[in-house]
Amino acid sequence: MDSSQPKFLLIDGDGQVLGACLDAEGVFVEPTKSAESATVEILGCLPVQRLRDYLEGSKRYRLRNPLWLEGLRMLDAAGEPLADFWVSQIIEWRPSQLDPERVDIIAEWGYDSPQSGARHIWERWRTARPDQINQWAVYGSEGRREWLTVVGRSSFRQTGPADRPAGRTYHLDGAHVTDETSFYLAAGEAINGPGGYFGWNLDALNDCLCGGFGATTPFTLIWSDSQAARQSLTEILEEMDDAPTLFEIIQTIFAERGVEVVLR
């Protein structure tokens, strides 16, 4: 990735860009039980005039002209938004060693920051978004969960595809569906292609089937290698006799929304 290309945008509470930033340190944090806020160091930020006025103004000026931050927007290699992370109060700032026209900013870093162990997955997406299905399959359960997090976060930063007409047929590759997370990953790619989103839990799956996420019901879903999921999605979610397994619940949700599931 070009070192002169911004990796982040600093965003205010109205969604306006306050500065394009070359890098950031402290984005990926270690898991902690502490309620203390972490900090992020935003490096090489080229501020718009409003941010520059705020940083160069007196304390009195800043009190009279407060600057409400909203997030730090991660960009991919093409400069497209990947995900937004909560960032709050600016704590301090200084001229950047990367460029005299830029500043380094330290700000409070939020509750939704990605964990350090997930860095390689986020960096993979930043370098190149998925262009084939099942690229998540090489990861274990934790890696797949983080991949699904990236899928969800990135999907809501983009204008998704218009819903395709009803009556279409989609193909779900079930060869790697060995837990609930991998089902949502496979379903998202069946409907919306590599890296596609179509839910992250049962409620979200149901919402996606109501429209607005790439497909219009009724449609047909051909689920190949479904035996892998049948043998793996055996969790019982209700304490009652003859309670359905997770695999059966998923089929019921599809059926109630007019989806014909063909298990192969």
Side-chain angles (χ1 to χ4, degrees), residues 11 14 26 37 39 54 68 84 86 97 106-107 111 121 143 147 155 185 192 196 203 211 221 234 236 240 243 255:
I11 308 297
D14 295 322
S37 295
T39 59
Y54 178 85
W68 306 109
D84 285 1
W86 180 87
Q97 295 182 354
I106 297 177
Y111 57 89
I121 292 178
W147 189 283
S155 70
L185 292 171
N192 292 312
D203 288 338
L221 182 70
T234 56
I236 304 296
M240 54 181 289

Side-chain angles (χ1 to χ4, degrees), residues 37 39 82 128 131 206 214 220 262:
S37 295
T39 59
L82 182 58
D131 58 0
N206 188 63
T220 299
V262 179

Side-chain angles (χ1 to χ4, degrees), residues 67-83:
L67 193 66
W68 306 109
L69 300 184
E70 177 66 22
L72 190 64
R73 180 166 297 164
M74 182 183 288
L75 306 177
D76 65 15
E80 295 297 321
L82 182 58

Side-chain angles (χ1 to χ4, degrees), residues 7-257:
K7 293 183 179 179
F8 297 91
L9 299 177
L10 188 61
I11 308 297
D12 72 6
D14 295 322
Q16 300 299 307
V17 176
L18 292 172
C21 314
L22 297 178
D23 210 341
E25 294 183 357
V27 172
F28 300 92
V29 301
E30 294 291 341
T32 177
K33 295 181 180 179
S34 171
E36 250 181 65
S37 295
T39 59
V40 62
E41 187 173 5
I42 306 166
L43 303 174
C45 181
L46 186 61
V48 301
Q49 193 60 49
R50 183 157 63 95
L51 176 56
R52 191 177 295 278
D53 290 344
Y54 178 85
L55 298 177
E56 294 178 352
S58 65
K59 183 177 180 179
R60 184 176 182 183
Y61 175 88
R62 291 193 292 274
L63 288 173
R64 288 185 173 183
N65 299 274
L67 193 66
W68 306 109
L69 300 184
E70 177 66 22
L72 190 64
R73 180 166 297 164
M74 182 183 288
L75 306 177
D76 65 15
E80 295 297 321
L82 182 58
D84 285 1
F85 299 99
W86 180 87
V87 63
S88 183
Q89 179 181 356
I90 293 176
I91 299 172
E92 60 181 274
W93 58 93
R94 60 179 178 269
S96 178
Q97 295 182 354
L98 299 175
D99 184 331
E101 293 297 313
R102 298 175 181 266
V103 293
D104 295 341
I105 296 171
I106 297 177
E108 290 185 355
W109 191 225
Y111 57 89
D112 62 347
S113 51
Q115 295 187 2
S116 56
R119 178 192 294 270
H120 63 294
I121 292 178
W122 283 92
E123 293 293 351
R124 178 172 178 171
W125 272 71
R126 282 175 56 168
T127 302
R129 292 176 186 253
D131 58 0
Q132 300 177 33
I133 66 170
N134 295 332
Q135 288 181 300
W136 47 267
V138 298
Y139 298 104
S141 58
E142 290 186 8
R144 293 181 182 194
R145 282 194 294 271
E146 195 62 31
W147 189 283
L148 183 59
T149 296
V150 183
V151 168
R153 297 289 291 271
S154 65
S155 70
F156 290 105
R157 284 276 1 118
Q158 305 177 58
T159 301
D163 286 354
R164 300 168 201 82
R168 295 289 185 92
T169 297
Y170 301 93
H171 296 264
L172 189 155
D173 182 352
H176 304 287
V177 177
T178 56
D179 57 20
E180 185 175 3
T181 299
S182 52
F183 162 73
Y184 298 119
L185 292 171
E189 294 186 331
I191 303 299
N192 292 312
Y197 173 83
F198 207 72
W200 62 275
N201 62 18
L202 294 175
D203 288 338
L205 173 65
N206 188 63
D207 288 343
C208 289
L209 290 167
C210 293
F213 292 89
T216 302
T217 57
F219 62 78
T220 299
L221 182 70
I222 298 177
W223 189 335
S224 64
D225 293 305
S226 60
Q227 191 63 23
R230 185 187 299 277
Q231 294 174 349
S232 302
L233 306 185
T234 56
E235 182 180 357
I236 304 296
L237 304 183
E238 300 178 16
E239 294 184 5
M240 54 181 289
D241 292 338
D242 300 322
T245 64
L246 177 58
F247 181 69
E248 293 166 336
I249 292 172
I250 289 170
Q251 292 180 77
T252 298
I253 291 173
F254 277 129
E256 289 176 345
R257 292 298 177 185

